[in-house]
Amino acid sequence: MSCVLVLYVTTLLAFYSIPFNRVSIPVAQTQTRGMATEKQIWNQIQSTKNIRKITASMKMVSAAKLKGDENRLTAAIPFNQWTTVVNGEPTLVADATYEELPQKCLLVPMTSDKGLCGGVNSFITRGVRNCVSKLHAQGKEADIVVIGDKGRAQLNRVSGELITRSATGVVSPGTFSLAAALSAELIAAGAQDYDAVVLVYNSFVNKATYQQKYKIIKPFTGEGEDEPMMAYEFEPDTKGEVMTDMYEYLLTSQIFHSFMDGAASEQSARMTAMENASKNAGEMIDKLTLKYNRARQSRITTELIEIISGASALEDQ
């Protein structure tokens, strides 16, 4: 068959009187406008396979981290149980009216510095934007202190004038010392000058579900009937100092619990996102493989037709 092909090419060259050294035999994979060649499709398949390996590995890492985050959250829940007596239970962000919030609030959305975790950060920033719009509609004031680079980037586009401070580079899942540092930062930002601090965070339910909640933390201030802890006596008379320290500890405890809740939610969302990404990559590989096989079959068929046509032309002569 190769001898026939050589004869066919030689006959064409003699017929058109073209010097052999100026001829380049056309490659069957010559790219047509808008069509990918076999080599390009093959490169896409290999790239997608590499991406699937990465996403599968990230899913396994997130699954391992999630176990540790669940254990830390389980330990943090009883540690923070006393705060529900003071502040009440957290409230779901979904369908919230925020009518119970006081006149001047400091919103603290708790997001992460990393992405590839589904809608963990987007849900928080969306809830904060909705809260701000409803508070303004009610004639109330609100400022924002953002925790996490993703939340800062998203809120800065639409509510940048309300952001007073931001904390990035926060190590997840965090420690009580880190929560104490952030609490001191909030107090330095004037948290006690607001009627309430509102923590907006993700609450872990299970490996497939998490919810957005907010906690209302009010300072221990007031006079007369509004004075806190009237049933207790303080000796010596240092109630103001004790209330200040207790408010900082309350804020630290709530931030710490929200950290643990948010870290578990983030890892569960990242595990689900990487699982979906691996599945989508597998589907794309199947489609590209089918496309590659069709292109390869078309090329082989074209080559066979050219060879047979050349052989028939030689036989006719």
Side-chain angles (χ1 to χ4, degrees), residues 242-259:
V242 172
M243 291 294 97
T244 301
D245 294 340
M246 186 174 180
Y247 175 71
E248 184 174 354
Y249 182 73
L250 172 66
L251 192 58
T252 303
S253 181
Q254 292 281 37
I255 291 175
F256 176 70
H257 173 261
S258 301
F259 260 137

Side-chain angles (χ1 to χ4, degrees), residues 99-105 135 140-141 195-196 216 218:
E99 293 180 354
E100 74 279 12
L101 295 183
Q103 179 64 29
K104 188 177 181 181
C105 298
L135 288 178
K140 300 177 181 179
E141 301 177 15
D195 297 329
I216 305 173
K218 297 181 179 180

Side-chain angles (χ1 to χ4, degrees), residues 82-83 85-87 192 194-195 217-223 226-229 239-251:
W82 69 276
T83 60
V85 179
V86 180
N87 298 131
Q192 290 180 316
Y194 292 86
D195 297 329
I217 306 171
K218 297 181 179 180
F220 297 115
T221 57
E223 297 179 355
D226 296 332
E227 184 177 350
M229 295 190 178
K239 184 175 181 179
E241 182 179 349
V242 172
M243 291 294 97
T244 301
D245 294 340
M246 186 174 180
Y247 175 71
E248 184 174 354
Y249 182 73
L250 172 66
L251 192 58

Side-chain angles (χ1 to χ4, degrees), residues 1-256:
M1 186 67 70
S2 59
C3 295
V4 174
L5 179 59
V6 172
L7 289 173
Y8 172 59
V9 174
T10 306
T11 304
L12 290 177
L13 293 175
F15 181 79
Y16 289 104
S17 301
I18 302 176
F20 188 79
N21 57 0
R22 296 181 58 186
V23 173
S24 59
I25 301 176
V27 181
Q29 293 186 5
T30 301
Q31 183 178 5
T32 308
R33 180 177 298 179
M35 299 293 291
T37 63
E38 288 182 43
K39 182 64 176 177
Q40 290 173 332
I41 298 174
W42 177 256
N43 290 338
Q44 290 179 5
I45 293 174
Q46 299 305 314
S47 300
T48 310
K49 285 183 178 179
N50 293 335
I51 292 174
R52 184 172 62 176
K53 290 179 182 179
I54 295 172
T55 55
S57 300
M58 293 181 67
K59 176 192 172 183
M60 296 176 62
V61 171
S62 296
K65 289 183 177 181
L66 177 60
K67 184 61 178 177
D69 290 336
E70 285 183 304
N71 294 335
R72 283 185 285 269
L73 176 60
T74 303
I77 289 176
F79 180 81
N80 190 61
Q81 193 66 37
W82 69 276
T83 60
T84 58
V85 179
V86 180
N87 298 131
E89 294 289 340
T91 308
L92 288 173
V93 172
D95 301 327
T97 59
Y98 305 105
E99 293 180 354
E100 74 279 12
L101 295 183
Q103 179 64 29
K104 188 177 181 181
C105 298
L106 180 63
L107 305 181
V108 185
M110 306 190 68
T111 61
S112 65
D113 289 339
K114 298 179 181 179
L116 300 177
C117 51
V120 164
N121 300 310
S122 300
F123 291 148
I124 293 296
T125 55
R126 187 185 307 167
V128 170
R129 291 197 300 267
N130 184 37
C131 177
V132 169
S133 63
K134 289 184 177 180
L135 288 178
H136 288 171
Q138 297 170 12
K140 300 177 181 179
E141 301 177 15
D143 290 327
I144 302 174
V145 174
V146 187
I147 298 177
D149 185 62
K150 294 297 181 181
R152 182 186 65 175
Q154 295 178 16
L155 288 173
N156 195 41
R157 293 193 292 265
V158 292
S159 303
E161 70 281 358
L162 300 178
I163 298 177
T164 59
R165 293 197 181 190
S166 61
T168 59
V170 178
V171 180
S172 180
T175 60
F176 193 81
S177 299
L178 178 61
L182 288 172
S183 175
E185 192 71 19
L186 288 177
I187 292 177
Q192 290 180 316
D193 297 333
Y194 292 86
D195 297 329
V197 174
V198 182
L199 298 179
V200 187
Y201 67 103
N202 287 298
S203 178
F204 177 78
V205 179
N206 52 50
K207 293 182 179 180
T209 309
Y210 57 92
Q211 298 173 332
Q212 291 72 49
K213 294 183 178 181
Y214 65 93
K215 302 173 181 177
I216 305 173
I217 306 171
K218 297 181 179 180
F220 297 115
T221 57
E223 297 179 355
E225 296 181 356
D226 296 332
E227 184 177 350
M229 295 190 178
M230 291 288 293
Y232 298 89
E233 294 182 1
F234 295 84
E235 294 181 0
D237 190 12
T238 57
K239 184 175 181 179
E241 182 179 349
V242 172
M243 291 294 97
T244 301
D245 294 340
M246 186 174 180
Y247 175 71
E248 184 174 354
Y249 182 73
L250 172 66
L251 192 58
T252 303
S253 181
Q254 292 281 37
I255 291 175
F256 176 70

